[in-house]
Amino acid sequence: MRIGRLPKQKRLLELANEIEQNPFITDEQLTKKFNVSIQTIRLDRMELGIPELRERIKLMAEKSYDQVRSLQIDEVIGEVVDLQLDKSGISIFEMNEEHVFSKTKIARGHHIFSQANSLAIAVIDDEVALTASADIRFIRSVKLGEKCIAKAYVRKDSLNHEKANVDVFTYVGNELVFEGNFVIFRSELKI
């Protein structure tokens, strides 16, 4: 939804609210939404004390509540920005040249799947967690430069000693592009 030009004070309030609702929104997306230049968005953010997207992501990652147990953090595809073991997690993954087909600039599906699968494993509070099965659906193509925001949720009714069901939804902006249900085997083995 595009908002017509607003008086500055109203725009500042709307901008702060928009970023609070979607901390992963880019300045470019905000320029389209508010019908102003990118310089205006940057000045407005500075006036409000809201950092740029990269800094917001970094701050969210630092606020992450739990540490990944089932993988090394660098084995998770994308940047983990929130993690609550056995509950939920969020990761962000930007599609760069090496992730897309050179001719079409469309992301290779295994990168989108890998982000979701690794987040589903990372959210499990166990030393060893492995994917047993996955029921997945690609909803639309992801293009070069788009940021995939994967959100994982552990189903409370599925938590037991042997396995857990993890639902993962991947978005570009507010648009759902991928969804999957992962059955994750867990083990209390100490490595």
Side-chain angles (χ1 to χ4, degrees):
M1 176 177 76
R2 190 173 179 154
I3 298 173
R5 285 201 182 254
L6 299 172
K8 182 176 180 182
Q9 290 308 314
K10 185 158 176 60
R11 185 179 69 239
L12 290 174
L13 287 171
E14 295 283 333
L15 179 68
N17 185 50
E18 187 67 32
I19 292 173
E20 185 176 326
Q21 295 297 313
N22 180 6
F24 308 116
I25 194 166
T26 66
D27 286 351
E28 289 78 12
Q29 290 169 319
L30 290 167
T31 62
K32 290 176 185 163
K33 185 165 185 95
F34 289 98
N35 196 26
V36 295
S37 70
I38 198 154
Q39 293 86 358
T40 300
I41 292 295
R42 289 176 180 154
L43 289 169
D44 286 354
R45 271 194 308 92
M46 284 176 46
E47 188 171 330
L48 292 166
I50 299 172
E52 67 177 341
L53 177 63
R54 261 185 223 274
E55 192 60 31
R56 291 195 305 269
I57 290 170
K58 194 169 150 188
L59 288 170
M60 287 184 74
E62 289 169 2
K63 287 186 206 172
S64 213
Y65 299 110
D66 296 329
Q67 296 298 314
V68 177
R69 289 185 61 204
S70 55
L71 299 169
Q72 296 297 319
I73 192 68
D74 61 343
E75 293 174 327
V76 180
I77 307 301
E79 183 175 353
V80 176
V81 295
D82 185 37
L83 187 67
Q84 296 178 21
L85 294 175
D86 280 345
K87 290 186 180 125
S88 64
I90 301 173
S91 74
I92 301 172
F93 185 55
E94 184 172 355
M95 291 301 155
N96 296 320
E97 286 286 344
E98 66 268 20
H99 307 122
V100 300
F101 293 107
S102 59
K103 183 178 179 181
T104 62
K105 304 300 182 194
I106 293 174
R108 294 180 171 121
H110 66 274
H111 293 294
I112 298 164
F113 173 81
S114 295
Q115 178 191 21
N117 186 55
S118 65
L119 184 61
I121 292 170
V123 79
I124 300 300
D125 187 10
D126 209 322
E127 293 293 323
V128 177
L130 303 168
T131 304
S133 66
D135 180 16
I136 64 169
R137 188 165 74 106
F138 291 91
I139 295 157
R140 83 141 167 96
S141 299
V142 175
K143 298 174 190 93
L144 176 66
E146 290 185 319
K147 285 183 177 57
C148 290
I149 302 162
K151 298 179 180 184
Y153 304 95
V154 179
R155 287 199 223 152
K156 291 184 186 347
D157 62 338
S158 75
L159 278 176
N160 66 41
H161 297 294
E162 295 173 10
K163 64 182 179 177
N165 285 318
V166 181
D167 293 319
V168 181
F169 303 94
T170 302
Y171 299 86
V172 171
N174 292 326
E175 186 179 1
L176 184 66
V177 297
F178 173 91
E179 63 185 7
N181 173 260
F182 296 84
V183 176
I184 306 295
F185 280 133
R186 51 191 309 143
S187 167
E188 283 298 328
L189 297 174
K190 302 299 178 207
I191 297 175

